[in-house]
C-alpha cells in the first residue's frame, strides 16, 4: 500500500477533478504490475496496473490488488474499474479508503458479488492526506485552499515601501513551484496582481512540457488589474462583481481572459464562497493555492475558507510598519484564533517552512 500511495502521488496536480489513485498487483508475494491515474480522462490506476502486468507477461488471476481508493463502479470518461478487476480474476482487493463520491457506485459490493475479497483501511490516514482536496470538495463542494506566503522574522510579507522581492531565498522559491505543481488553481488578489504581476505558473526543471499548469485566478471586485500583457501566456480567470467597469470587461475578454461575475459582500468585495464554488464546479479545481495578498488571506480566514497553510519564515528583521501576512477589517480574539495543527517544519537553506492544517474554533 505504501508503494500504491507513492504511485498515486505522481498524479497530484494532473488528475482533477478525479482523485489521485495508485494500484499495485501482487501474486505469490511478488509485485506483478503497477499503475496510477496519470491524467483526467486517461485510464485509471487499476487498468494501468493490469496493463503493466500484461506488458510484463504476468497473469493477474488470483492476485491481490492494493488500491488507494475503492475502485469505481460506474461509466464515466472511462469504463468501471471493477469490471476490469473482475475480468482479470483477481482474488482480493486491499483498499485504503472507500470512495465518498456517490456517483462512483458501490465498488465493494460489485467486487464481493463476483467472489473477490475486499478489505479496507490499510494506509487510510496517508490516503486521506493525499486526497485531501478531493475529499474536501466532495464534502463541501469547494476546493481545499492553502495559504502560501513568505514573511520575515518580524512578521512582514512586504516592507513599508511595498517591496517584497525577495523575502525568501532561492531554495524556498524553488520549493514554492513544487507547491504550485500540486495545485489545480492559484489565487491572488487584485493588489498583488497590480504590484507584482506574477506569472503564477510552474517552472520546474525536467518537468514535462505538456504537464498541466494550474489555473491562474485573480480576485478583483472592480477589475482593477493590469492589462495582463506582462503576465505571460496562459489562461487567466478573474472573479469580479457588478461594480466592474464594462469597458474593462470587454478589453480583458478580448485578450482571452475568462471572467465570472459573482455577488458582492456587504463591504463590496467578491463573495469568496461563491467564487470558490464556481472554481470547483465549472473548472474542476480540488486544490487551490492562495499566494496573497494580505487582504485576501484575511478574508479567506474570516470566512473559514482556508484549510491549510505553507508559511516560509526568512531569518530577516526589517523593522518599519510593513505589511502583515493577514490584514483585514476584523481580527480573531486570541482565544478563538485559527491555529495550525498537524504542523511540520522543513529547513530550506535557512528559511523555515511551516506546513499544516488550519483549525477553527
Amino acid at each position: 500500500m505504501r508503494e500504491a500511495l507513492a504511485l498515486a502521488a505522481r498524479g497530484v496536480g494532473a488528475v482533477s477533478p478525479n482523485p489521485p489513485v495508485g494500484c499495485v498487483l501482487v501474486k505469490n508475494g511478488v509485485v506483478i504490475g503497477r499503475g496510477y491515474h496519470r491524467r483526467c480522462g486517461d485510464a485509471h490506476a487499476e487498468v494501468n496496473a493490469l496493463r503493466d502486468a500484461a506488458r510484463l507477461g504476468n497473469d493477474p488471476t488470483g492476485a491481490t490488488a492494493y488500491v488507494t481508493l475503492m475502485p469505481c463502479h460506474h461509466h464515466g470518461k472511462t469504463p468501471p474499474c471493477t469490471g476490469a478487476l473482475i475480468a482479470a480474476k483477481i482474488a482480493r482487493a486491499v483498499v485504503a479508503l472507500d470512495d465518498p463520491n456517490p456517483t462512483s457506485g458501490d465498488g465493494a459490493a460489485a467486487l464481493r458479488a463476483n467472489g473477490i475479497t475486499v478489505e479496507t483501511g490499510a494506509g487510510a490516514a496517508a490516503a486521506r492526506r493525499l486526497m485531501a482536496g478531493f475529499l474536501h470538495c466532495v464534502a463541501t463542494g469547494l476546493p481545499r485552499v492553502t495559504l502560501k506566503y513568505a514573511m520575515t522574522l518580524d512578521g512582514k510579507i512586504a516592507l513599508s515601501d511595498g517591496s517584497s522581492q525577495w523575502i525568501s531565498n532561492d531554495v524556498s522559491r524553488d520549493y514554492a513551484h513544487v507547491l504550485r505543481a500540486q495545485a489545480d488553481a492559484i489565487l491572488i488578489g487584485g493588489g498583488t496582481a497590480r504590484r507584482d504581476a506574477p506569472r503564477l505558473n510552474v517552472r520546474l526543471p525536467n518537468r514535462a512540457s505538456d504537464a498541466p499548469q494550474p489555473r491562474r485566478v485573480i480576485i478583483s471586485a472592480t477589475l482593477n488589474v493590469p492589462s495582463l500583457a506582462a503576465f505571460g501566456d496562459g489562461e487567466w480567470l478573474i472573479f469580479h462583481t457588478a461594480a466592474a467597469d464594462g469597458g474593462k470587461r470587454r478589453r480583458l475578454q478580448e485578450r482571452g481572459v475568462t471572467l465570472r461575475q459573482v455577488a458582492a459582500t456587504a463591504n463590496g468585495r467578491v463573495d469568496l464562497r461563491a467564487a470558490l464554488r464556481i472554481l470547483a464546479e465549472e473548472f474542476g479545481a480540488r486544490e487551490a493555492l492562495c499566494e496573497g495578498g494580505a487582504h485576501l488571506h484575511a478574508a479567506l480566514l474570516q470566512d473559514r475558507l482556508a484549510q491549510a497553510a505553507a508559511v516560509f519564515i526568512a531569518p530577516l528583521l526589517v523593522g518599519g510598519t510593513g505589511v502583515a501576512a493577514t490584514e483585514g477589517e476584523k481580527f480573531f480574539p486570541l482565544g478563538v484564533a485559527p491555529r495550525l495543527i498537524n504542523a511540520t517544519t522543513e529547513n530550506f537553506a535557512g528559511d523555515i517552512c511551516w506546513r499544516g492544517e488550519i483549525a477553527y474554533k
Side-chain angles (χ1 to χ4, degrees):
M1 185 59 76
R2 282 194 294 270
E3 184 170 356
L5 288 162
L7 286 167
R10 296 168 67 177
V12 172
V15 299
S16 288
N18 294 339
V21 179
C23 177
V24 175
L25 300 174
V26 177
K27 184 174 180 179
N28 299 325
V30 177
V31 173
I32 63 168
R34 300 173 175 86
Y36 69 97
H37 187 30
R38 297 172 182 270
R39 194 165 298 186
C40 181
D42 289 353
H44 288 189
E46 300 90 331
V47 171
N48 281 331
L50 290 168
R51 289 175 178 174
D52 187 48
R55 179 183 63 83
L56 296 171
N58 295 323
D59 180 6
T61 301
T64 295
Y66 292 86
V67 193
T68 57
L69 188 70
M70 187 64 69
C72 63
H73 187 58
H74 81 295
H75 283 270
K77 291 186 177 180
T78 61
C81 295
T82 50
L85 294 174
I86 292 165
K89 299 180 180 179
I90 69 163
R92 178 170 166 249
V94 178
V95 182
L97 287 180
D98 281 316
D99 192 336
N101 189 350
T103 64
S104 293
D106 194 340
L111 294 173
R112 288 178 176 133
N114 284 272
I116 297 172
T117 301
V118 180
E119 303 169 19
T120 60
R128 283 191 206 94
R129 289 192 294 271
L130 186 66
M131 303 181 206
F134 169 77
L135 297 174
H136 178 78
C137 195
V138 170
T140 66
L142 306 174
R144 179 176 180 264
V145 176
T146 298
L147 306 182
K148 174 254 166 184
Y149 54 89
M151 69 179 188
T152 63
L153 276 177
D154 46 356
K156 309 296 195 304
I157 63 169
L159 309 190
S160 304
D161 63 1
S163 60
S164 60
Q165 297 179 336
W166 295 103
I167 287 175
S168 58
N169 62 32
D170 291 346
V171 181
S172 292
R173 294 198 298 275
D174 287 345
Y175 185 69
H177 284 275
V178 175
L179 298 178
R180 285 182 176 181
Q182 296 170 352
D184 305 310
I186 303 176
L187 280 60
I188 59 171
T192 300
R194 293 189 300 273
R195 183 179 62 251
D196 298 337
R199 286 180 283 174
L200 300 187
N201 57 1
V202 180
R203 302 185 297 278
L204 289 171
N206 303 320
R207 190 168 189 260
S209 59
D210 64 343
Q213 290 282 351
R215 186 169 294 276
R216 299 182 281 187
V217 182
I218 300 175
I219 308 292
S220 178
T222 62
L223 289 180
N224 185 11
V225 298
S227 66
L228 300 186
F231 285 37
D233 297 330
E235 296 182 1
W236 289 84
L237 167 65
I238 305 180
F239 289 101
H240 63 90
T241 69
D245 176 73
K248 190 66 175 285
R249 289 183 61 176
R250 286 191 297 274
R251 288 192 294 274
L252 286 168
Q253 288 173 324
E254 287 169 0
R255 291 192 61 85
V257 177
T258 301
L259 302 179
R260 289 294 181 272
Q261 180 176 314
V262 297
T265 61
N267 59 6
R269 297 184 182 276
V270 167
D271 183 326
L272 292 174
R273 186 176 296 275
L276 290 174
R277 190 170 297 280
I278 291 171
L279 198 56
E281 293 179 355
E282 189 173 341
F283 298 97
R286 300 295 178 259
E287 289 279 0
L289 186 68
C290 181
E291 297 198 6
H295 292 288
L296 182 55
H297 286 161
L300 287 165
L301 287 169
Q302 287 290 343
D303 291 345
R304 297 179 174 234
L305 294 173
Q307 287 73 47
V311 181
F312 296 85
I313 304 175
L316 303 174
L317 295 161
V318 298
T321 53
V323 180
T326 60
E327 290 193 351
E329 299 167 359
K330 299 179 181 178
F331 66 88
F332 289 94
L334 291 176
V336 296
R339 178 178 294 273
L340 204 64
I341 63 171
N342 300 325
T344 61
T345 60
E346 191 167 354
N347 191 316
F348 291 100
D351 290 353
I352 303 299
C353 179
W354 279 79
R355 293 191 68 184
E357 304 162 28
I358 297 174
Y360 297 91
K361 293 187 177 181

